[in-house]
Amino acid sequence: QVRLQESGPGLVKPSQTLSLTCTISGGDSMLTGIPYWGWIRQPPGKGLEWMGAIGPSGRRNYSPSLKSRTSISRDTSKNQFTLQLASVTPEDTAVYWCYGSSAWAYQGGSDYRGQGIQVTVSS
């Protein structure tokens, strides 16, 4: 069974870059089976927001509203992929999840998703 686990700092200061890592275990490696790996988040009191994903051959696709600040990369040798979000503000405070999907965007129940990590942006 595929499992995803997010890791990274729970507190980030404004203007810094948030870096999160998703480690994949069990099931297929990143090069077989599940083609898309991405990130979603949910700020307090708001809905789920798709941030971006990395697909076959390393192609990336980002939310237009976050594209200028977001970077997703992968290390297939470690079965990991990472999210970097630059110039964070308190509005970036959210629970962040990584996911694996058959499509670019998170599909919900049929997809694999981590437990989530709370990230707070505060000085």
Side-chain angles (χ1 to χ4, degrees):
Q1 183 179 358
V2 175
R3 293 182 179 179
L4 284 69
Q5 179 67 57
E6 303 90 351
S7 59
L11 180 64
V12 183
K13 294 183 178 180
S15 80
Q16 290 186 340
T17 295
L18 166 66
S19 294
L20 297 175
T21 297
C22 185
T23 302
I24 306 157
S25 61
D28 297 325
S29 74
M30 293 191 72
L31 298 178
T32 61
I34 303 168
Y36 301 99
W37 304 92
W39 293 88
I40 52 177
R41 69 178 184 177
Q42 186 167 24
K46 297 185 179 180
L48 202 60
E49 178 182 24
W50 178 75
M51 300 183 70
I54 187 166
S57 302
R59 181 185 172 192
R60 297 161 176 84
N61 196 8
Y62 299 117
S63 166
S65 64
L66 296 171
K67 185 175 182 179
S68 64
R69 299 194 292 131
T70 306
S71 178
I72 296 174
S73 60
R74 67 182 186 181
D75 186 339
T76 55
S77 67
K78 296 181 179 179
N79 263 4
Q80 292 179 332
F81 61 105
T82 61
L83 169 72
Q84 290 194 316
L85 183 64
S87 304
V88 297
T89 72
E91 287 66 41
D92 293 309
T93 294
V95 178
Y96 288 75
W97 291 272
C98 60
Y99 70 89
S101 178
S102 59
W104 281 108
Y106 178 64
Q107 301 295 299
S110 62
D111 288 348
Y112 298 99
R113 192 178 77 173
Q115 293 294 313
I117 183 171
Q118 172 68 48
V119 177
T120 301
V121 180
S122 175
S123 56

